[in-house]
Amino acid sequence: MPNPNSAPTPEGSAKSNNSTAGLEKLQGRLSDLITPWTGRGMRYLKREHKLERLRVFILGRQLTDGVIFKSLLYIILTSVAVIYLQPVFYMISTSLKTQSDLLDPTVNFFPRVLDWDNYEVAIRGLKYVQALWQTALIAILAALFQTVSCALTGYAFARLYIPFKNFWFAIVLLTFLIPIQTMFIPIYVLYAKLGWLNTPLPFLIPALFGQGLKGALFVMIFRQFFATFPKELEESARMDGSGAFRTFYRIMLPLSRPAMLVVGLFSFVWHWNDTFEPSMYLKDVNLIMMGNQMSQMPTNLQTIAGNALVPFDLIETQMMAAAFLVILPPLLLYAFAQRYYVEGIERTGIVE
């Protein structure tokens, strides 16, 4: 039996060296075999990474992240912008043309000479300064009255207990669905008996009581907006001793600023552009509104010229100048209030 503590023999050392050398040769061969495949694998992974990056760039990690979706979105937005802005550009361009440029088919959007006299004629024909401040005053007051009264009415329909509330709300909807033209004769007779003709009262008094132009729609907007509030707001206010009106004034009304902005803008623009009611209720030349002045331009210019027998022929350039002056204040209002207006639309869920 061999002694384990004895020194290794020369034959054993030789065998051990041979086995170590064999292992090293085997490892070298395996390394030679694996190295090409490893390089190919790294190149494959790099190629796959580039393809993945390209796919993410084109399609995106989500549908809305890729360059294809963004390109289509920009194309759609640009097309819609062109559809909406092209009439405004045409109006401005035509209003600055001379009559020769208007008749020249080679002149499109850029006139050869800017003719500012068209705006001078339009300002005189519209009685622009008088119509501007009178229309703005009536539209602003009506918008304020409608915003407050419709907010109070919408809050009552959304949060308070009212006997036969659904029935009364159906009546409000009915006033929105029935055209005012079908009820014009009795309303006109009523206003004539009250002595409101040729005054701003037919526009302001109905707005003060939650009606007027599109009043029912504004009540619906506020009702929808207040219905989304949690009941805990009113319960906590009631525990603090607040009544219904104080809760509305202190809590609900400050929270409803987005809806108030939407209603205020809609009311102002619709009163500014209204032509039916001013033409029916206003016959006095001392009280005029902007919506009707376009049709009165020839008569006004005849009166200014002092010759009422010879009709004043308006050309398209002067009419376009007058139309641009009419829409200019609402455009400026939208431009300054655009951010808050979009926020209010998102909060109220109303789309015009």
Side-chain angles (χ1 to χ4, degrees):
M1 183 175 182
N3 186 4
N5 295 326
S6 60
T9 60
E11 293 83 0
S13 298
K15 291 181 180 180
S16 177
N17 292 333
N18 292 334
S19 61
T20 302
L23 288 174
E24 290 177 354
K25 291 180 181 180
L26 181 60
Q27 289 177 355
R29 292 177 181 178
L30 289 175
S31 177
D32 294 338
L33 293 174
I34 292 174
T35 298
W37 290 102
T38 303
R40 293 177 184 176
M42 293 300 294
R43 289 193 296 271
Y44 176 78
L45 291 176
K46 290 181 180 179
R47 186 168 61 251
E48 287 294 319
H49 180 65
K50 291 181 180 179
L51 292 175
E52 178 66 17
R53 290 179 60 184
L54 181 62
R55 187 192 68 80
V56 171
F57 175 75
I58 296 176
L59 301 178
R61 297 187 183 277
Q62 297 179 355
L63 181 62
T64 58
D65 294 341
V67 68
I68 293 180
F69 178 83
K70 292 180 180 179
S71 300
L72 292 176
L73 182 62
Y74 286 135
I75 291 173
I76 294 173
L77 292 178
T78 304
S79 302
V80 173
V82 169
I83 292 173
Y84 279 94
L85 294 178
Q86 192 271 341
V88 179
F89 292 152
Y90 174 81
M91 184 185 303
I92 297 174
S93 173
T94 305
S95 67
L96 294 173
K97 290 180 180 179
T98 61
Q99 190 169 4
S100 59
D101 285 343
L102 180 65
L103 299 176
D104 190 348
T106 61
V107 179
N108 292 322
F109 280 99
F110 302 100
R112 295 190 179 95
V113 180
L114 300 181
D115 188 4
W116 297 100
D117 292 338
N118 296 326
Y119 283 93
E120 182 183 352
V121 174
I123 290 173
R124 289 190 285 111
L126 291 173
K127 297 183 178 179
Y128 191 70
V129 176
Q130 179 186 357
L132 179 65
W133 77 264
Q134 289 181 347
T135 307
L137 181 63
I138 293 175
I140 291 173
L141 290 177
L144 291 175
F145 290 162
Q146 274 192 321
T147 301
V148 176
S149 59
C150 292
L152 185 60
T153 308
Y155 172 73
F157 276 119
R159 313 299 293 189
L160 302 182
Y161 171 75
I162 302 173
F164 307 106
K165 181 167 64 175
N166 293 332
F167 170 76
W168 296 119
F169 187 68
I171 297 297
V172 173
L173 293 180
L174 198 62
T175 63
F176 176 67
L177 297 175
I178 297 177
I180 189 175
Q181 289 80 1
T182 61
M183 302 183 295
F184 167 69
I185 294 178
I187 294 176
Y188 183 87
V189 172
L190 175 63
Y191 290 166
K193 290 181 178 179
L194 293 174
W196 289 1
L197 298 181
N198 298 319
T199 68
L201 296 180
F203 311 100
L204 301 182
I205 299 301
L208 187 61
F209 291 95
Q211 279 297 297
L213 194 62
K214 309 291 185 181
L217 176 63
F218 301 148
V219 172
M220 294 169 57
I221 292 175
F222 278 112
R223 178 179 179 269
Q224 176 183 351
F225 186 79
F226 286 126
T228 60
F229 288 174
K231 295 181 179 180
E232 288 76 12
L233 290 173
E234 295 166 303
E235 292 175 354
S236 60
R238 197 176 298 115
M239 292 176 62
D240 292 336
S242 298
F245 183 77
R246 187 178 179 185
T247 301
F248 168 76
Y249 176 73
R250 293 280 186 173
I251 299 176
M252 295 298 182
L253 197 60
L255 293 176
S256 64
R257 281 180 293 182
M260 293 175 64
L261 180 63
V262 171
V263 169
L265 284 173
F266 280 177
S267 179
F268 176 85
V269 173
W270 281 332
H271 278 93
W272 183 276
N273 294 330
D274 187 28
T275 58
F276 177 75
E277 291 188 355
S279 64
M280 296 295 105
Y281 304 141
L282 302 180
K283 303 297 182 181
D284 191 355
V285 295
N286 294 322
L287 182 59
I288 58 178
M289 293 194 68
M290 193 69 74
N292 289 339
Q293 287 304 101
M294 287 287 294
S295 60
Q296 297 296 322
M297 277 187 64
T299 304
N300 294 338
L301 291 171
Q302 286 175 235
T303 305
I304 294 172
N307 190 354
L309 298 178
V310 178
F312 191 95
D313 293 329
L314 288 173
I315 60 176
E316 185 181 356
T317 57
Q318 297 166 349
M319 294 297 293
M320 287 296 142
F324 180 71
L325 290 175
V326 170
I327 69 171
L328 182 60
L331 286 178
L332 295 177
L333 180 63
Y334 275 124
F336 285 109
Q338 178 185 9
R339 172 186 173 186
Y340 307 100
Y341 173 73
V342 173
E343 177 185 355
I345 288 289
E346 292 176 350
R347 292 287 301 276
T348 56
I350 300 298
V351 178
E352 187 184 16

